[in-house]
Amino acid sequence: MAAAAAAASASSGGGGGGGGAAASGHVSVATAGMPKGYAPRGGAVAVGVTWHGGPAVVVQGGADRTGEHYADACLYEPGGSRARRLEADAGDVALPLCGGHTAVTLPPCPSADGAAATATSSSGRTRIVLFGGINFVDEAVYDEVFEVSLAEPSGGGGGGGGGGKKGKAKDGDAIPMSVRRPRVEGEAPLGRTGHAMVSLPLAPAPTSPCSEGGGESPSAWAAALLFGGSSPSDGVMADLHVLYAFDKERDGSASPWYRWQGCGTTGAVPTGRELHALFCRPGTRRAGGCSSPALHAAGASPAGPHRLAVAAGGGDTAAAAAAADEEPDALVVVGGRAGDGSVLAEVAVLDLHTLTWAEPVPAPCPIAAAATGVSHGGRVAYLYGGWAGATELSGKLLRLDMREGGLDARRWAWTTISLSPRPLPPPRFAAAGCALPAAATPDDARLYVFGGMSAEEDLRDVLTITLPPLPPAAAH
């Protein structure tokens, strides 16, 4: 969205080249894939959810190049004739009219007794967290957290759009959603746009004494990590924040709430940027979630806010020892636009166990505002389209294979995927993307791309890209 001015005069050139062996994917275009009346736009968000027991995508918000901003949402089911609108419950708070915000689906929440995780929160609803965004007309940058939840319909075998209706809803039927502004503790990040967020589950942590009223302090079961972004008043940013998700109050009662923590990091901290891609490469996760001592220390619901940081030799030594033989989770930053307007061609990696940044390594080309998706449990990432700088838009599909090499980005494999049939859709940036499994095998996945901005116009199509299989990974 911050690059919208460049789009007006952009030529439809290709992006830079990628490395790796040749691979090919098939792209199909659905010009009527969105609901009737859905306006062409860029800057929307797209997140994967589970609906009727299968994968689906929620698309929300965005803006067009004339300055019109949107807050509407819809749900896209692969195989359906078109997406269906999501309608908020009566009395819900209104989502802001904005683009350039972020959304993440919270990972499955464990049951009350710590048994197997479910696809929804303990309240029985899939939860999506939204943060930030900008309205260029009002010159407003947002710093609020919104929670959107979808209730899986009752009535066995998949009901309609909610309310316990029997049978699957028709394509034109609206689906109920709930929108609320949840209780959020801690110091919120500055309002921003062009930032990125990812969510991850946290491994179970021992309970700790609670200084408020005795008892045990609840621990967070999931976290969303936010990096970078920009605002008209503060410019580009390079800060990192963690939003913790709790399902219990300190008195043990069930009530979802959140808490922000600022995150101090060491090492080669990346330069400030916006419009970058952000991925979470999962580590060993023997306990079913990220076991970072640093994230756990701050996710134990302290009595007061504190800044999350790890000093050399500090932290929870028992947790650090338990995690010593595990491959850490990592935060992966790709590309983006720097404060001087240049589009970056680099990959930066943060070790989430030590909160240490590695030296950035080159990416195959400059890239910003690309549509993204992941497969293979988060260890393979895809970037489609985007802005390559000046007036150059990309129509390429890049694959980043992170299955081998640990946290060493120099050992990860980049591939440019050749797309067919031709003519291909117009190059675009600021599109919303999400990868979903097409079958039980991880190699059968598809990347869904919604709208975006081409050099000539705002788009409302849905691209379905069938992704090619990966080469076998070496045995570890």
Side-chain angles (χ1 to χ4, degrees), residues 122-183:
S122 59
S123 62
R125 301 173 74 95
T126 297
R127 284 157 59 179
I128 301 168
V129 172
L130 299 96
F131 174 78
I134 188 170
N135 186 304
F136 290 101
V137 175
D138 297 337
E139 297 184 349
V141 182
Y142 299 99
D143 65 355
E144 296 175 298
V145 172
F146 292 87
E147 183 188 273
V148 173
S149 57
L150 307 179
E152 277 284 9
S154 59
K165 295 180 181 179
K166 298 278 187 177
K168 193 168 183 177
K170 297 178 181 179
D171 286 340
D173 293 347
I175 299 171
M177 69 174 178
S178 174
V179 180
R180 73 184 189 106
R181 189 180 291 114
R183 178 166 66 87

Side-chain angles (χ1 to χ4, degrees), residues 106-318:
L106 293 180
C109 177
S111 63
D113 59 2
T118 63
T120 57
S121 72
S122 59
S123 62
R125 301 173 74 95
T126 297
R127 284 157 59 179
I128 301 168
V129 172
L130 299 96
F131 174 78
I134 188 170
N135 186 304
F136 290 101
V137 175
D138 297 337
E139 297 184 349
V141 182
Y142 299 99
D143 65 355
E144 296 175 298
V145 172
F146 292 87
E147 183 188 273
V148 173
S149 57
L150 307 179
E152 277 284 9
S154 59
K165 295 180 181 179
K166 298 278 187 177
K168 193 168 183 177
K170 297 178 181 179
D171 286 340
D173 293 347
I175 299 171
M177 69 174 178
S178 174
V179 180
R180 73 184 189 106
R181 189 180 291 114
R183 178 166 66 87
V184 181
E185 297 185 355
E187 183 178 351
L190 294 174
R192 65 192 66 198
T193 182
H195 52 291
M197 286 182 72
V198 293
S199 64
L200 73 163
L202 296 178
T207 55
S208 57
C210 181
S211 60
E212 299 181 8
E216 293 180 338
S217 176
S219 293
W221 56 271
L225 281 67
L226 177 153
F227 176 76
S230 71
S231 75
S233 59
D234 296 287
V236 296
M237 307 173 191
D239 51 348
L240 179 67
H241 299 265
V242 183
L243 181 66
Y244 288 97
F246 298 86
D247 257 23
K248 290 184 179 180
E249 297 284 0
R250 294 182 176 91
D251 63 4
S253 61
S255 179
W257 59 285
Y258 300 86
R259 189 184 69 246
W260 281 113
Q261 294 279 176
C263 217
T265 59
T266 60
V269 179
T271 184
R273 67 193 66 198
E274 62 177 349
L275 306 174
H276 48 287
L278 188 68
F279 308 104
C280 181
R281 180 190 185 274
T284 308
R285 290 188 179 176
R286 293 192 179 94
C290 177
S291 56
S292 161
L295 295 183
H296 273 136
S301 183
H306 66 277
R307 189 163 183 82
L308 175 59
V310 176
D316 187 329
T317 55

